[in-house]
Amino acid sequence: MHNLLTDIAGVRVGHADDAALASGVTAILFDRPAVASMDVRGGGPGTRESALLDPVNTVDGIDGIALAGGSAFGLEAGGGVQAWLAEQGRGFKIRDALIPIVPGAICFDLLNGGDKQWGRFAPYRELGYAAAAAAGERFALGSVGAGLGATTANFKGGVGSASAMTPDGVRVAALAVVNAIGSVTVGDGPWFWAAPFEVDGEFGGRGLPDHFTPDMLALRIKGGPAATAIENTTLAVVVTDAILSKAQAQRLAIMAQTGFARAIYPVHAPLDGDIVFAAATGEKPVDPLVGLTELGMVAGNVIARAIARGVHEAAALPFPGALPAWRDRFG
């Protein structure tokens, strides 16, 4: 295992981004259609094909997930991923028609210093195609893909990933794009809120402070008192090789949101658009009660770790006034 989302067999991840734009796309592809659902906790989400992930609706399997910057413009990334999958003959078959199923979500990065004057059409469809074409088993973390332009209250955000295995051998892994209104670190120090769940020093091994001061627990949000809605979102995808129904996948997504609360302070605000997609590749059976509960517990842990890694691995944008990266300040 490489501590990546692709530790789940049959899952591939690709990035495409533009340094001048300071934005990009991350594509998650499934070699076979995966059962999937989602849970939304933030007050300002931006999504594509979210309705079909409701357990009461018909389509069970998805072919990919598109995550993008660009706010609502970035929703076009799903069309690019869809186009690449269609060229591979992938999709939901209706007689002679084939329709790749690609839900997606976006985060706001339009004010990060990049050049967003793209003319008539935004570049996200082409970036989505390129991200899908680049998908593989190994992929970069930090300031790449959909996380290139991401920020938090005090440090540069980015793409993070983590994986784990239950005692019964069921794998769970997560990928997060961290663009939160809140902070992923405690106060002005090097400590990550997710420190109790860290594995093998994956985000610096700094632990937690000896005690929490009022300043550490004070409200720290991106933009301060001038903060506005829809500028902030953390996106996460959690995938397991368990056999789950669509309703069980939704329960997994709901439980996995716990990881946001373990890693971001504050979280699930009216100023966020926080979303978790949950997908299952259907390899290993799990008990529908205790087994699913354990799976959700572990999913929350890997999401917390992925969020911390997204900030730990990020690099600052090369623009005046850009937020520092965690590594710039703490090595």
Side-chain angles (χ1 to χ4, degrees):
M1 295 179 71
H2 301 291
N3 206 23
L4 296 172
L5 186 72
T6 48
D7 287 336
I8 309 300
V11 179
R12 292 175 290 129
V13 174
H15 301 304
D17 47 55
D18 183 319
L21 182 71
S23 188
V25 174
T26 296
I28 297 96
L29 305 183
F30 302 98
D31 289 348
R32 294 185 295 108
V35 173
S37 192
M38 69 184 297
D39 184 65
V40 179
R41 295 292 169 94
T47 62
R48 166 194 161 101
E49 296 275 42
S50 55
L52 66 79
L53 297 179
D54 190 311
V56 304
N57 290 333
T58 301
V59 176
D60 279 330
I62 66 171
D63 301 296
I65 297 172
L67 307 178
S71 189
F73 296 104
L75 291 174
E76 293 187 5
V81 176
Q82 189 177 48
W84 187 88
L85 286 165
E87 290 179 352
Q88 318 310 309
R90 292 289 310 280
F92 183 69
K93 190 171 180 60
I94 305 173
R95 294 200 298 273
D96 293 332
L98 203 60
I99 307 167
I101 306 300
V102 184
I106 47 84
C107 60
F108 184 99
D109 60 4
L110 299 180
L111 300 175
N112 60 12
D115 180 8
K116 306 302 193 295
Q117 301 303 310
W118 47 61
R120 177 170 293 179
F121 296 112
Y124 292 97
R125 184 175 65 175
E126 295 302 322
L127 287 169
Y129 184 96
E137 294 184 359
R138 302 299 291 269
F139 59 94
L141 302 180
S143 298
V144 292
L148 175 60
T151 55
T152 72
N154 55 349
F155 289 116
K156 178 71 176 66
V159 173
S161 195
S163 66
M165 186 182 295
T166 72
D168 292 332
V170 177
R171 293 189 178 194
V172 189
L175 180 147
V177 178
V178 188
N179 189 60
I181 185 75
S183 174
V184 177
T185 57
V186 181
D188 292 320
W191 316 281
F192 286 92
W193 289 107
F197 306 96
E198 186 175 12
V199 175
D200 295 332
E202 62 194 339
F203 40 89
R206 300 299 186 97
L208 288 172
D210 293 335
H211 64 283
F212 291 90
T213 65
D215 180 65
M216 291 174 180
L217 299 177
L219 180 69
R220 295 168 185 264
I221 57 174
K222 191 191 304 180
T228 59
I230 71 171
E231 291 187 26
N232 322 279
T233 292
T234 297
L235 309 174
V237 176
V238 60
V239 184
T240 177
D241 58 4
I243 301 169
L244 299 181
S245 68
K246 203 171 175 182
Q248 289 171 326
Q250 186 177 58
R251 178 55 54 187
L252 180 64
I254 291 168
M255 294 187 69
Q257 287 273 15
T258 307
F260 281 50
R262 293 170 180 167
I264 304 169
Y265 183 86
V267 73
H268 299 152
L271 300 161
D272 281 307
D274 299 332
I275 295 168
V276 172
F277 295 93
T281 60
E283 300 292 335
K284 299 170 184 174
V286 293
D287 176 82
L289 297 177
V290 174
L292 183 58
T293 299
E294 181 176 49
L295 205 60
M297 175 189 75
V298 176
N301 293 348
V302 294
I303 280 185
R305 292 164 51 206
I307 290 169
R309 289 191 82 195
V311 172
H312 180 261
E313 299 295 329
L317 292 171
F319 305 123
L323 279 174
W326 184 92
R327 290 174 180 268
D328 292 339
R329 186 159 294 172
F330 302 113

